[in-house]
Amino acid sequence: MKFISWNVNGLRAAVKKGFLEKLAEMNPDIIGLQEIKLSEGQLELELEGYELYYNYAERKGYSGTAVFTKLKPISVTYGIGIEEHDTEGRVITLEFEDYYFITCYTPNSKRKLERLDYRVVWEDAFRNYLNELDKNKPIVLCGDLNVAHNEIDLANPDTNHKSAGFSDEERAKFTELLASGYVDTFRHFYPDRADEYSWWSNFNKARERNIGWRIDYFVVSERFLDRIEDSKIHQSVMGSDHCPVEIILK
């Protein structure tokens, strides 16, 4: 089976840039999308073989997530059950027989880290949410987690230690998440592979020069790791400022 995650930076815009054709080419069993920037009724998609689930932000044209799945879930939930964190459409959870599939668009700390305090609160609440699920069955978490965990995960670490996505606080929270019993699948398979990024700024030809950040992930429960055959980053797939990331299940 193939699972894909992609921050599409506006699903309507992505559709105009060939999203549906790329989806057909990649042919995932499940795809988690982030930053769909949709309100209900703004886009009507019918994808043969897929069930479609959306979590819209209350604010128009902002945030939001979606999951398209060929596998019928037992249940679907939206958000993490805390009103403070559930107005921006950031999480969808699908329950299957032997795991949960979660797509997440983690809040950005913004310039000058103006939203860092909220981000830290979010991280603790979201980790607690995952841990409660994990008590029942393993998790498969995907999404734009808005953090480059280690220096190998971005092109210019020296100049970004106080930047959103590479602050000490954000990196420490990701370390704390992994220490709770989860694995960054890409780094598990490729611990030393450099220049593998999933997001590039739109300025200064960053993507053309591969001056990027790896901030899109598949994270799984440690006990689910033996189900994962490979983890990939599709840097050549265009259509967003992010590229898709993938795991293959045995």
Side-chain angles (χ1 to χ4, degrees):
M1 289 194 297
K2 179 191 295 186
F3 294 171
I4 284 176
S5 177
W6 196 1
N7 179 321
V8 291
N9 192 20
L11 185 53
R12 287 175 294 173
V15 168
K16 292 177 182 178
K17 296 175 183 177
F19 169 80
L20 296 178
E21 292 77 10
K22 294 179 179 71
L23 179 65
E25 290 173 10
M26 294 186 293
N27 193 28
D29 295 281
I30 307 178
I31 184 167
L33 305 177
Q34 305 85 43
E35 208 171 358
I36 60 172
K37 297 182 178 180
L38 285 177
S39 297
E40 188 170 4
Q42 287 189 312
L43 181 68
E44 298 295 334
L45 291 179
E46 291 186 9
L47 302 177
E48 185 176 356
Y50 287 96
E51 295 186 6
L52 281 57
Y53 301 97
Y54 298 93
N55 192 4
Y56 306 105
E58 292 181 3
R59 175 179 163 190
K60 291 184 177 180
Y62 179 72
S63 187
T65 49
V67 177
F68 303 161
T69 176
K70 293 180 179 179
L71 311 174
K72 187 173 181 61
I74 296 169
S75 66
V76 180
T77 56
Y78 302 91
I80 62 174
I82 301 174
E83 185 175 356
E84 175 188 4
H85 302 307
D86 287 347
T87 63
E88 297 180 349
R90 294 189 176 274
V91 177
I92 304 175
T93 302
L94 276 63
E95 180 184 4
F96 295 100
E97 183 178 357
D98 53 354
Y99 60 89
Y100 292 98
F101 180 95
I102 304 113
T103 192
C104 174
Y105 178 39
T106 299
N108 191 303
S109 293
K110 296 190 174 181
R111 291 185 180 182
K112 298 183 180 179
L113 302 178
E114 60 191 65
R115 212 183 185 197
L116 180 60
D117 289 346
Y118 172 72
R119 168 70 178 265
V120 169
V121 172
W122 157 274
E123 292 281 1
D124 290 340
F126 185 57
R127 187 180 64 257
N128 290 338
Y129 172 75
L130 296 177
N131 287 342
E132 286 301 312
L133 294 177
D134 188 62
K135 290 177 182 177
N136 188 35
K137 59 185 76 172
I139 68 155
V140 176
L141 165 66
C142 75
D144 174 0
L145 303 187
N146 260 319
V147 61
H149 188 210
N150 292 310
E151 292 193 353
I152 194 174
D153 295 316
L154 72 167
N156 292 318
D158 293 344
T159 58
N160 279 295
H161 281 278
K162 294 185 179 180
S163 298
F166 197 62
S167 68
D168 291 344
E169 293 87 346
E170 291 164 307
R171 297 169 65 198
K173 285 300 177 185
F174 194 75
T175 297
E176 194 172 348
L177 172 65
L178 297 182
S180 299
Y182 308 107
V183 179
D184 171 358
T185 59
F186 184 79
R187 280 289 167 237
H188 170 76
F189 287 103
Y190 307 105
D192 303 315
R193 184 175 290 181
D195 302 319
E196 291 276 1
Y197 309 125
S198 64
W199 174 80
W200 301 262
S201 167
N202 288 318
F203 297 102
N204 298 320
K205 298 182 178 179
R207 188 159 189 174
E208 182 180 321
R209 299 160 58 211
N210 200 27
I211 308 300
W213 299 52
R214 188 177 74 93
I215 60 176
D216 299 86
Y217 293 83
F218 269 97
V219 172
V220 303
S221 299
E222 287 178 350
R223 66 188 187 281
F224 198 75
L225 192 57
D226 63 355
R227 292 278 304 276
I228 310 301
E229 185 174 299
D230 198 5
S231 185
K232 303 177 181 181
I233 301 176
H234 294 288
Q235 294 189 95
S236 64
V237 176
M238 309 298 285
S240 169
D241 53 351
H242 294 249
C243 73
V245 298
E246 173 187 321
I247 55 172
I248 302 293
L249 273 65
K250 298 176 183 176

